[in-house]
Amino acid sequence: MAAGDRPLNEVKFLTVAEVAAVMRVSKMTVYRLVHSGHLPAIRVGRSFRVPEQAVHEYLRESYVGVGTA
């Protein structure tokens, strides 16, 4: 179920630092993903919040499996 399909009180939002920790990348990488539109986010004041489900979906879609030879 996408974040947009759930009531807002059920959506867990993560900070950029939390997303970076989950993905094991820098905060700048997360900002690039948000600004490029690859990772949806909402702006709260001067910071961004990313739906947790969106992070999981991004990782699932970006997963590169190793083929068997």
Side-chain angles (χ1 to χ4, degrees), residues 30-41 58:
V30 177
Y31 282 118
R32 284 189 193 111
L33 290 170
V34 168
H35 287 294
S36 68
H38 288 98
L39 195 58
Y58 175 81

Side-chain angles (χ1 to χ4, degrees), residues 13-57:
F13 290 98
L14 302 176
T15 65
V16 168
E18 290 170 331
V19 174
V22 168
M23 295 177 68
R24 294 186 180 216
V25 297
S26 71
K27 290 192 297 184
M28 185 54 65
T29 298
V30 177
Y31 282 118
R32 284 189 193 111
L33 290 170
V34 168
H35 287 294
S36 68
H38 288 98
L39 195 58
I42 61 167
R43 191 164 192 127
V44 179
R46 295 181 61 188
S47 61
F48 290 98
R49 296 293 184 269
V50 180
E52 183 179 38
Q53 189 63 36
V55 175
H56 295 298
E57 288 172 13

Side-chain angles (χ1 to χ4, degrees), residues 6-13:
R6 301 171 75 184
L8 282 179
N9 63 341
E10 293 180 11
V11 177
K12 181 177 180 188
F13 290 98

